[in-house]
Amino acid sequence: MENINVYSPECSPENVSPPPPPPPVKSNSGTKLKKSTVQKCGSFASKATRDAWDRMFDEAHGADVLIHTDNNGLIYAHSNVIGMASDVIRGLMKQDKRKPHRKSISILGVPHDAVRVFIRFLYSSCYEKQDMEDLAIHLLVLSHVYVVPHLKRVCESHFENTLLNKENVIDVFQLALLCDAPRLALLCHRMILNSFEEVSTSEGWQAMKQSHPSLQKELLRSVSYELDVKKQRSRKQKEIQTYTQLYDAMEAFVHICRDGCREIGPTKVENPHVSCGFQACDGLEKLLKHMAGCKLRSIPGGCSRCKRMWQLLELHSRICVDSEQCRVPLCGDFKERMKKQSRKDEKRWKLLVKNVLSTKRIGGSPYFLQAIDVTL
C-alpha cells in the first residue's frame, strides 16, 4: 500500500502524548489516594497501526455497510468503525431496516472521491496531501454534516495556512457561515476587506450576487465601514503627528531662547554644525531669521511665514508656566492679549493647547502646563 505522507495533527509524530500516570498507590489504611483516579490518556498510533486501518478500509474485508455516492458510486465500510466515528452515520444505519446483514446509506451532493477520503479519515484519521488540496471544501461540508469535529479542524487549518486565496475566498466564506466555522469566516472576511478590488472581480463574487444578494449587500456595508474607519484612523494619526510637531517646536523655542542653538540665542555655540537633539530647531531658526528681516510682517495679510511665527509664539505663551521668567520673545505680551480675545477664539485656542499637551502625557516638560490643567 502507498505510504501515508500526511498525518492529522493528533497522529503526527510531533504530538506524542506523555506517558500514562503510574498505577494507583494505596495508603497504609487501604484507602486510595485522592489522585489515584484512572485518567483516559490519548495514545500515539504507530505507522503500522495506521497502515492496518487503511488496509482494512481498502480491502473492505468483512464490510457490512454499502455507501452510495454520486454517479452510482459505491464504497464499502464497517458499521462499527464509521458508527463510532460519527453519531450521525450511526443514526442513518439504524434507520435502514431492509437488510439486517448489510446496511445501506447514501452520501450525495459531493464527489465520490471526497466521500472516499472522508470515510478513510474515519478509519485512520489520515489523508493524502493532494486529496486535501483538491477536496478541502467538500471535506469541510462532510465534517459538518456528519459531525466529525477533528476533520473540521484539519480543514480549517489547511484553509488558514495554504488553501485560502482571493479566488475561492467568497465560496469559503459562505461555506464557513453555513458550517458554523467562525474563525474561518473571520479570516475570509478580513481577506475580503483587505483585497476587495480583486475579490469583487472573482467568479465567486459574481455567483454570490445571484444566489445571495443579501450577503453581498452586507459585505458591501462592511467594506464601506472599513474604509471609513481607515480614513478616520489616518486622519487621527495625521492630527497626532501635527500636535507632536507643535509640541516639539515649543520645546525647541525654550531651548533656543534659554540655551542658544547654532547662531541664535543668548550664548554662542562653539560648533554650530553639531546637532542639538531638537529636530525643530533648524526650521525655527530659519523662521526667526526670516521674521527678523521681513519687511511685510507688519502689513495685514502680508507674509504667511511671519504669520505662522506669530501663531507659534502665541501657542507658546498659552502653554508657558511662568511668562515672567520665560525668555521666549513676547511671551508676556501674548498673555495680556489673551484677555481681550473673543470667547470663540479663546475656545479654539484652548482646544489646540489641550491636544498639543495631550501628546506628551508622560514626562511632560517642567516649563509647560499639564494637560489636566487645561479646561474648555
Side-chain angles (χ1 to χ4, degrees), residues 279-297:
Q279 296 181 356
C281 271
D282 186 44
L284 284 176
E285 287 185 3
K286 292 179 180 178
L287 276 177
L288 288 169
K289 289 180 178 180
H290 167 81
M291 188 176 180
C294 183
K295 298 179 180 180
L296 300 176
R297 64 181 181 180

Side-chain angles (χ1 to χ4, degrees), residues 166 186-199 223 226 230:
K166 298 170 186 176
L186 178 61
L187 294 173
C188 293
H189 191 257
R190 287 178 179 174
M191 179 177 286
I192 294 171
L193 295 181
N194 294 333
S195 307
F196 179 72
E197 292 185 2
E198 298 179 43
V199 172
V223 171
E226 185 70 16
K230 287 182 178 180

Side-chain angles (χ1 to χ4, degrees), residues 12-23:
S12 174
E14 290 131 356
N15 292 330
V16 181
S17 300

Side-chain angles (χ1 to χ4, degrees), residues 82-98:
I82 62 176
M84 289 296 295
S86 170
D87 292 338
V88 177
I89 293 180
R90 186 192 311 169
L92 292 175
M93 291 188 296
K94 288 181 179 180
Q95 295 175 6
D96 182 22
K97 300 179 180 179
R98 293 172 299 177

Side-chain angles (χ1 to χ4, degrees), residues 11-262:
C11 64
S12 174
E14 290 131 356
N15 292 330
V16 181
S17 300
V25 180
K26 293 185 178 182
S27 62
N28 295 334
S29 60
T31 59
K32 293 183 179 180
L33 299 178
K34 292 183 179 180
K35 295 185 179 180
S36 63
T37 55
V38 179
Q39 297 181 359
K40 185 178 180 181
C41 301
S43 61
F44 170 66
S46 65
K47 181 178 180 300
T49 302
R50 294 192 301 273
D51 288 347
W53 282 105
D54 279 326
R55 188 166 60 253
M56 179 181 180
F57 167 67
D58 291 334
E59 296 177 359
H61 180 71
D64 58 347
V65 180
L66 186 60
I67 302 174
H68 297 271
T69 65
D70 283 351
N71 299 322
N72 298 321
L74 293 176
I75 298 175
Y76 293 92
H78 302 81
S79 60
N80 289 337
V81 177
I82 62 176
M84 289 296 295
S86 170
D87 292 338
V88 177
I89 293 180
R90 186 192 311 169
L92 292 175
M93 291 188 296
K94 288 181 179 180
Q95 295 175 6
D96 182 22
K97 300 179 180 179
R98 293 172 299 177
K99 297 180 180 180
H101 63 282
R102 173 164 288 178
K103 304 291 183 182
S104 177
I105 62 175
S106 298
I107 300 181
L108 306 175
V110 294
H112 172 84
D113 291 341
V115 180
R116 183 172 182 82
V117 173
F118 171 69
I119 298 299
R120 176 195 174 187
F121 188 90
L122 300 184
Y123 277 77
S124 61
S125 295
C126 297
Y127 52 89
E128 302 291 340
K129 180 179 179 181
Q130 190 61 45
D131 289 338
M132 180 58 68
E133 293 177 356
D134 297 339
L135 305 169
I137 288 182
H138 305 293
L139 293 175
L140 180 60
V141 173
L142 291 171
S143 67
H144 175 72
V145 172
Y146 296 100
V147 191
V148 185
H150 179 44
L151 177 57
K152 178 184 277 191
R153 290 194 296 270
V154 171
C155 294
E156 290 178 356
S157 176
H158 277 277
F159 275 117
E160 179 178 351
N161 296 326
T162 57
L163 300 182
L164 191 63
N165 55 58
K166 298 170 186 176
E167 291 297 325
N168 66 8
V169 64
I170 293 295
D171 296 331
V172 178
F173 178 61
Q174 296 178 82
L175 190 61
L177 295 177
L178 295 173
C179 294
D180 190 23
R183 176 178 173 81
L184 181 58
L186 178 61
L187 294 173
C188 293
H189 191 257
R190 287 178 179 174
M191 179 177 286
I192 294 171
L193 295 181
N194 294 333
S195 307
F196 179 72
E197 292 185 2
E198 298 179 43
V199 172
S200 60
T201 59
S202 64
E203 295 181 0
W205 179 268
Q206 302 302 324
M208 183 182 61
K209 289 174 62 176
Q210 303 296 327
S211 59
H212 297 89
S214 59
L215 180 59
Q216 184 218 14
K217 292 180 180 178
E218 187 66 27
L219 283 175
L220 289 175
R221 282 195 292 267
S222 297
V223 171
S224 177
Y225 175 78
E226 185 70 16
L227 290 176
D228 291 340
V229 170
K230 287 182 178 180
K231 290 179 181 178
Q232 293 177 5
R233 188 183 299 119
S234 177
R235 183 168 62 250
K236 187 66 176 178
Q237 290 176 348
K238 290 180 180 178
E239 290 178 357
I240 293 175
Q241 184 180 7
T242 300
Y243 297 141
T244 302
Q245 291 173 350
L246 287 174
Y247 190 94
D248 294 340
M250 297 301 101
E251 287 188 322
F253 251 140
V254 176
H255 161 67
I256 292 173
C257 299
R258 183 189 60 184
D259 306 326
C261 186
R262 296 185 177 92

